[in-house]
Structures are given as C-alpha cells and as structure tokens.
Amino acid sequence: MDKIAVSLEERADQVLPPIAKRATRLGIVKAKGHYLISEDGKEYLDFASGVAVTNVGHNHPEVVEAAKKQMEEMIHGGHNVVYYPSYIELAEKLNELNGGSQMVYFSNSGAEANEGAMKLAKKVTKRPAIISFKRSFHGRTMATTSITGSSAAHRKDYEGLLPSVYFADYPYAFKNNRTEQEEVDHCLETIHELFSYQIDPENVAAMVMEPVQGEGGYLPAPVPFMKEIRRICDEHGILLIFDEIQTGFGRTGKMFAYEHYGIRPDILTLAKGIASGFPLSAIIARRDLMEQWPAGTHGGTYGGNPVACAASLSTIRILEREGIANAAEQGSYFLQELKKLAGQTGQIGEVRGLGLMIGIELTNENGNPDSQLLQYIRDKALEEGIILLGCGVNKNVLRFIAPTTVKRKEIDRVIHFLKETLLSK
Ligand SMILES: Cc1ncc(COP(=O)(O)O)c(C=O)c1O
C-alpha cells in the first residue's frame, strides 16, 4: 500500500479532542483474524482485541456472513416496536448458557448494561445503596463512574455522583504483601466494617463486582472470597451483580468467568466480546427478578439491534466450537511460559490470570511498580508489530488480551519478544 501524505493521526489531531485519546497512534485500515493492518501496510499481531471485544478474531468470516445476511433482511425494526428472530434467538441462547430460568434485556454498551442492572436491583429490592470494590471499573456514565474505583481521574470534577455507593476492598495479595487467605480475610472484614459503621446491609440493593478485575490490574478473585461474597449477599437479601463485560465470552477459558467459582450471580452484565465488535450488551437475571421490572421503567432505542444479535449468535457458535477450549489450553500454556520468564528476569513481580485474561506485574529493583518499563515494552512491541495494552492502578500491569482463537506460534512470538526485551534491558 502506498504511503499516504497525511496520516490518520495527523488528521485526527485537527478534529478529535484530547478525550478521544487512544492507546496507540496507529492508523488502521484493515483487520483480519489476529492481525490489524496499518495505513502504511504494516501488520500488527493484535493482543489487545479492541480491549477484549474481538474474542474470535477480527472479521471472522462466519460473523461477517451472519451480519451481512441479517443486514439484507432487516437492519433496524426497533425492539420497542416489534419482535424479530435474532433478538429472541439470542435471548434464548443466553438463557440456556446461564442455566435456564433467566430473562435477558439488551442494551448497547457495557456501561449501559451496568446502569440497567443497578436500576433493576433498586427496583426489585426498593433499597438505595450499592456496594462496589476498590480498583473496579464499570464504565464512564455518571452512575457507572460512581461505582468505579480504579482511578480518581475518572471521577475528578464529576463529583456529586450517585449517592449511597460504598467501596469494599478487593483482594490484591501481591500488592498488600499478604497470603491469599490473609488478603481474603482482610477484604471480607472491610465489608463487615461497612455494615457496622456506614451502611446497614438491609439498605443495600446490590453488590457489583468483576470476577476478575480488568482495568484494576487483571486480578482474579480467589474462590473463597467469591463464595463468601455470595453467602453474605444471600444472608442479607443483597443482589449480587457480576460485571462480566471484560471476563465474558470465552475470555477466561469458560464462557463466563463465574463458572470457575461454582456460584452464580443474581444479575449478570455482558458486553464487549458478545458480538465481535457490534455494539451490544445484555443484562441477564433470574426470571423472578426480571418479572418485577415493569415495562417503561427502563429502555433505549437501539438495544438488541438485529445485526448485532446475529453477529453475537455467530460469535457464540465459534466460541462453543473452538474458542473456549482453545482459550483454556493456550491460556494455561501462556501463563506457564510467562512464569518461566518471570524466573529468568528480575522485572516481573507476579504473573496471574484466568484463561486468556493474563497480566504481568512489572516491578523495579526495589519491587515497586514500574510504569516506565510498561511503556517501554509497549513501545518496543509496536516497533516489532505487536499490540499490547497496560492496566492496573499503578499503570504497571502488562495485559495480554489475545483472541480465544490464538495460535501457539503467536504466543511464542510474544514470549520471545518479551524475553529479548527484558533480558536486554
Ligand atoms: C469490567 C468492565 N465493565 C464495564 C465496562 C464499560 O463498558 P463500555 O465501555 O462498553 O461502556 C468495561 C470497559 O472497559 C469493563 O472492562
């Protein structure tokens, strides 16, 4: 492809505000499988997956085919106006995937699903308060900013947010230098303290949590913590909302991360990987809860767009056929190779993850978070044609969000790159 005179980045600088900043300065003109192709013809191995969206790779032919077919039949009927097959079929499939006796409501984005989940919880319980967790990320609308605890910058100058939101601690044993059990005990204690000093549990509508914290640092919650959270919610009639917007759709080597824990949420929110890039999100909750959400008390124009629903059904078929099993297999290989690498270099404090939701904590010689090293690695990776993202409250966690269909040789390429980069530093 000819080098074009004015790059997309240069044109963007004229018309896009700083708020529209992105993780790279790449101008991308084509996406195929596990690769993005830039305007100057360079191929990038994509281990960002559009931030955990293109879980079966870019433009999977089956997804493209399903979307095209649906476009020819109907682009928008309006879910407020008519029923249409892809919407109903997807609701049926999501109900089946979540054990039956569930009902499904579609929206457009993750934040919108979380907003709806909170409204549902308040409507059903008639209680005001929400408990969220430190370092959580739930979206950018005012209500989801209110329950987000991963950066003061997300909240600065927007304060006067949703009232009656309380934050408990979420396990981060590595950072707090505790054993897993000590960390779990500590975090559970912060919930009991909230109940004793700040908010009576009978006033709490819901607890909202990510089974693996995403933006907060790729932190899987320990099983005993999750089980106890479930028990506490049951004891006090609090609805448990799992935000699986980033952990869903095969990302962790199961369709949904909660399957690793042997417990179920009362309300589940899904987005990102649900439709391979078409804007779609879902709130899934038990029938007895959903039946208490009267018509007209929540809504939206575009939720459950026919094309997005068709793309989602096709995405789910690919995940069930190959993506989920591959994510589990390649994820455990990736994790093991990263652990080996951590043993060979002094710059990786911890390797952790579930399936293909893997992060490494970069630390300096004093064991402190090393955000400069993160930036250095990401820049070098781009030079090598690999897209990697960071996360974590200290901006020192390198996260790997490979497609669930990733191949062994692509993981090996990333491991090789990391090894060369870290050992030559
Ligand atoms: C766990 C989690 N919840 C909610 C959101 C918000 O989703 P959206 O950007 O689609 O509103 C994100 C996005 O990164 C997320 O990771």
Side-chain angles (χ1 to χ4, degrees), residues 220-242:
V223 174
F225 181 70
M226 295 287 268
K227 287 202 186 293
E228 187 58 12
I229 291 287
R230 180 66 274 179
R231 195 201 60 73
I232 291 171
C233 285
D234 288 343
E235 183 185 343
H236 299 290
I238 297 170
L239 295 176
L240 180 56
I241 303 174
F242 281 166

Side-chain angles (χ1 to χ4, degrees), residues 77-394:
H79 76 98
N80 294 320
V81 185
V82 292
Y83 297 111
Y84 41 89
S86 60
Y87 190 104
I88 304 299
E89 202 183 317
L90 182 58
E92 287 168 347
K93 184 67 194 175
L94 289 172
N95 173 40
E96 176 203 314
L97 287 171
N98 286 285
S101 308
Q102 309 286 311
M103 287 184 154
V104 182
Y105 184 77
F106 294 115
S107 302
N108 304 286
S109 69
E112 202 185 348
N114 283 336
E115 291 258 353
M118 284 191 279
K119 285 167 80 178
L120 170 62
K122 286 184 182 231
K123 184 63 86 181
V124 170
T125 61
K126 307 282 186 290
R127 298 173 176 189
I130 305 280
I131 292 182
S132 183
F133 289 86
K134 291 180 189 164
R135 287 187 312 277
S136 59
F137 184 86
H138 298 292
R140 299 289 196 160
T141 58
M142 291 298 263
T144 54
T145 296
S146 309
I147 57 164
T148 286
S150 54
S151 168
H154 293 159
R155 305 167 63 98
K156 189 176 178 203
D157 300 333
Y158 302 132
E159 283 295 343
L161 295 164
L162 202 65
S164 299
V165 174
Y166 299 84
F167 287 91
D169 284 12
Y170 183 102
Y172 198 166
F174 173 78
K175 184 167 185 284
N176 297 325
N177 205 14
R178 296 191 181 108
T179 65
E180 184 178 291
Q181 188 57 54
E182 286 166 352
E183 183 67 357
V184 167
D185 292 345
H186 160 80
C187 292
L188 293 171
E189 185 53 30
T190 66
I191 295 172
H192 295 303
E193 284 182 358
L194 281 181
F195 289 166
S196 302
Y197 308 143
Q198 288 182 269
I199 178 76
D200 190 283
E202 285 186 12
N203 281 173
V204 179
M207 256 192 225
V208 189
M209 72 183 299
E210 300 155 86
V212 182
Q213 277 195 337
E215 305 306 304
Y218 271 35
L219 289 153
V223 174
F225 181 70
M226 295 287 268
K227 287 202 186 293
E228 187 58 12
I229 291 287
R230 180 66 274 179
R231 195 201 60 73
I232 291 171
C233 285
D234 288 343
E235 183 185 343
H236 299 290
I238 297 170
L239 295 176
L240 180 56
I241 303 174
F242 281 166
D243 171 344
E244 291 234 25
I245 286 158
Q246 191 157 165
T247 53
F249 292 95
R251 172 69 27 220
T252 67
K254 300 217 182 262
M255 186 61 90
F256 306 115
Y258 75 74
E259 296 170 56
H260 290 279
Y261 292 94
I263 56 164
R264 283 180 188 279
D266 300 300
I267 306 174
L268 177 68
T269 56
L270 302 170
K272 286 190 183 284
I274 190 172
S276 288
F278 287 91
L280 181 68
S281 62
I283 305 165
I284 301 173
R286 290 197 325 263
R287 168 181 283 271
D288 63 297
L289 299 175
M290 283 293 207
E291 281 179 343
Q292 297 177 61
W293 210 10
T297 60
H298 184 62
T301 298
Y302 294 110
N305 167 272
V307 185
C309 288
S312 178
L313 284 162
S314 166
T315 302
I316 292 171
R317 276 193 289 273
I318 300 160
L319 286 169
E320 288 187 314
R321 189 181 67 220
E322 57 190 288
I324 295 174
N326 192 60
E329 188 190 330
Q330 304 300 344
S332 93
Y333 172 73
F334 202 174
L335 203 68
Q336 164 206 308
E337 292 303 302
L338 285 167
K339 284 187 175 158
K340 273 193 220 157
L341 185 62
Q344 292 161 14
T345 73
Q347 300 118 308
I348 301 176
E350 188 175 57
V351 176
R352 55 182 180 246
L354 264 188
L356 281 172
M357 189 165 180
I358 300 177
I360 58 176
E361 180 110 19
L362 298 167
T363 45
N364 63 20
E365 58 282 6
N366 304 318
N368 293 323
D370 195 342
S371 58
Q372 281 178 351
L373 180 58
L374 174 77
Q375 196 51 51
Y376 174 81
I377 295 174
R378 289 190 52 228
D379 292 345
K380 278 261 169 224
L382 273 188
E383 283 170 28
E384 293 294 319
I386 301 170
I387 301 179
L388 299 175
L389 295 180
C391 63
V393 280
N394 296 309

